[in-house]
Amino acid sequence: MVTPEEADVVAVHGGKPLIGEVGVRGAKNLVTKAMVAALLADEPSVLSNVPVIRDVAVVRGLLEAHAVSVTDTAPGELTLDPRGVKSAHFAEIDAHAGSSRIPILFCGPLLHQLGEAFVPDLGGCHIGDRPINFHLDALRAFGAEVEKSPEGIALRAPKRLTGAKVELPYPSVGATEQVLLTAVRAKGVTELINAAVEPEIMDLIQVLQKMGAIISVETNRTILIEGVDSLGPYQHKAIFDRNEAASWAAAALATKGRIFVRGAEQLDLMTFLNVYRKVGGEFTVGTEGIEFRHPGGELHPVVIETDVHPGFMTDWQQPMVVALTQAQGQSIVHETVYEKRFGFTDALVEMGADIEVYKEGIASITRRVPRRPLEQAAVITGPTPLHGANVRVPDLRGGFSHIIAAVTAQGESVVSNVGIISRGYEHLWEKLEGLGASFELRG
Ligand code: EPU
């Protein structure tokens, strides 16, 4: 008997709609950053609504490697005490970082607390090059010395970091967080131009404001940060995971089901909901969450362009592509954020989907998002019945889409490398079981 945590392979018996309720908790992409923010304080902070996912465990391990004590003070609640913080050994950082990109965000706080920081080779999902040049350029602008070696990057702040004018070439989520986590305790004012304004970033700003930071979000993607000498602890409930909510919404559509997503909120899903409606999906917004339904009739094709917030998020396209294989006609998905995020479609094609990936994107006069040099497009022609196949999960979001495709497909699918999905989906197997999916986990 394999426990859900150990499972690496799942055999799915598809062809049944997913019906029922799932709850979503705090967003992976806020919780992990708020945990790092606790490093900036002089007293313990308390973070609640923390999901049980592997990325949280990775950040916890990294904090503990730096002698920050992390305690489970209640279910879903962590107390993070940075009072003993000290430098970690390279081997420890490397061992904990695994495939996560979070270590890069430790730089600013560690430079403030210890005057030095070390970043190992960065992993994350294999969805493009995922460089860190914006991060390093910003850290240099604050006065950090950056030295690259084969193992990683060593940073030093011989004197207190100072506020800077930073203009990002692209509104990168991670680089915006980097600047926020560094500028709050730098001397003087930082002007961040072309910042990302994702809801998780706004939530991080709320965390930092609770700690004593002075941050104003101006118009036109400009953020001003007035550095302060020290920061106190925070108590915060993490914003809900809109990516998980959108994943379940798409699962309801693909499998002809009906899922109530407890904890989902309308405002941060507005762009997703518009697309959902255009495809023909139905939803009802309630006070406790949102119910997502297949309409019963045909689904319609759509054109989607992924973009930074408030656009259609790149993490929403993979599960939606599964639903679009069931729509009547030709849909186009332009991926403009990452240069390699359609690898997951190979498995869908093996399951019977008609998807063609254009590596250079498709020009069109009706495009809303300006074309980026690295973009690609996928053309999905439906409806195509899906059938079982043996497939391998390439990354987190692609992995969720494979599971949904396997549940949609007639017959048995064997999906391997599913452990990666637990980086970002809490209690995935329990939730799927509760929705009526039929599967068995293997080691
Ligand atoms: N980029 C650079 N240089 C940099 C940083 C980014 O060229 O220094 C480029 C990237 O290569 C990419 C684009 O900028 O083409 C956007 O990257 P961004 O920095 O915004 O992404 P990220 O911070 O690495 C976070 C989420 C991703 C999510 C993106 C976009 C976390 C831990 N990850 O990544 O989430 O897709 O923002 O919203 O917050 C996921 O949850 O599975 C996931 C991949």
Side-chain angles (χ1 to χ4, degrees), residues 102-113:
I102 295 290
I104 186 77
L105 293 179
F106 276 64
C107 291
L110 287 179
L111 287 171
H112 285 303
Q113 294 283 35

Side-chain angles (χ1 to χ4, degrees), residues 28-30 32-33 55 100-102 105 125 127-136 170-177 196 198 242-243 307-309 313-315 336-339 341 372 374 395-397 423:
K28 161 177 96 67
N29 293 350
L30 173 275
T32 47
K33 326 297 171 64
D55 271 12
S100 166
R101 277 171 61 81
I102 295 290
L105 293 179
C125 285
I127 52 178
D129 278 350
R130 305 194 77 179
I132 53 167
N133 51 331
F134 304 163
H135 295 252
L136 298 181
Y170 180 78
S172 147
V173 169
T176 298
E177 292 159 345
E198 267 61 7
R242 66 200 170 106
N243 294 341
D307 197 7
V308 291
H309 188 75
M313 223 197 150
T314 165
D315 296 273
T336 80
V337 180
Y338 290 112
E339 69 267 33
R341 228 179 175 182
R372 291 189 75 207
L374 298 171
D395 61 62
L396 174 66
R397 306 292 167 198
R423 277 190 44 212

Side-chain angles (χ1 to χ4, degrees), residues 60-309:
R60 183 183 188 140
L62 277 168
L63 286 168
E64 286 169 349
H66 288 90
V68 173
S69 108
V70 183
T71 322
D72 297 277
T73 29
E77 181 186 283
L78 294 178
T79 296
L80 306 121
D81 185 350
R83 283 175 293 190
V85 63
K86 62 178 176 56
S87 294
H89 295 297
F90 163 70
E92 263 178 304
I93 302 175
D94 208 33
H96 285 289
S99 62
S100 166
R101 277 171 61 81
I102 295 290
I104 186 77
L105 293 179
F106 276 64
C107 291
L110 287 179
L111 287 171
H112 285 303
Q113 294 283 35
L114 306 168
E116 61 177 17
F118 184 80
V119 190
D121 254 352
L122 292 173
C125 285
H126 296 291
I127 52 178
D129 278 350
R130 305 194 77 179
I132 53 167
N133 51 331
F134 304 163
H135 295 252
L136 298 181
D137 288 347
L139 287 162
R140 284 193 194 98
F142 285 107
E145 291 173 1
V146 179
E147 200 178 309
K148 292 190 186 172
S149 72
E151 293 91 42
I153 302 160
L155 296 106
R156 282 190 342 111
K159 48 185 200 301
R160 184 173 171 194
L161 298 177
T162 45
K165 181 168 174 169
V166 178
E167 178 161 2
L168 296 177
Y170 180 78
S172 147
V173 169
T176 298
E177 292 159 345
Q178 179 75 263
V179 170
L180 288 169
L181 289 166
T182 308
V184 283
R185 274 184 54 187
K187 189 169 162 15
V189 176
T190 293
E191 182 181 8
L192 174 58
I193 299 164
N194 206 21
V197 292
E198 267 61 7
E200 294 78 17
I201 289 179
M202 294 303 131
D203 208 39
L204 180 64
I205 291 176
Q206 293 184 61
V207 168
L208 293 167
Q209 189 179 51
K210 286 176 177 172
M211 298 172 79
I214 303 169
I215 301 172
S216 51
V217 181
E218 312 277 311
T219 50
N220 249 343
R221 296 191 175 277
T222 297
I223 300 180
L224 293 178
I225 306 117
E226 292 179 42
V228 296
D229 291 342
S230 63
L231 290 172
Y234 67 79
Q235 273 201 30
H236 190 74
K237 180 180 177 208
I239 185 177
F240 80 102
D241 198 316
R242 66 200 170 106
N243 294 341
E244 187 182 352
S247 300
W248 290 116
L253 207 51
T255 65
K256 294 201 169 139
R258 187 177 69 242
I259 302 178
F260 177 71
V261 182
R262 184 172 294 282
E265 291 176 30
Q266 183 180 13
L267 182 61
D268 297 329
L269 285 169
M270 224 160 221
T271 305
F272 178 82
L273 294 174
N274 285 334
V275 171
Y276 201 78
R277 178 162 283 159
K278 284 195 215 172
V279 178
E282 295 176 349
F283 58 87
T284 306
V285 178
T287 48
E288 306 278 308
I290 304 178
E291 185 186 77
F292 295 92
R293 298 179 297 275
H294 188 282
E298 276 181 10
L299 299 183
H300 317 300
V302 280
V303 175
I304 296 175
E305 298 168 38
T306 67
D307 197 7
V308 291
H309 188 75

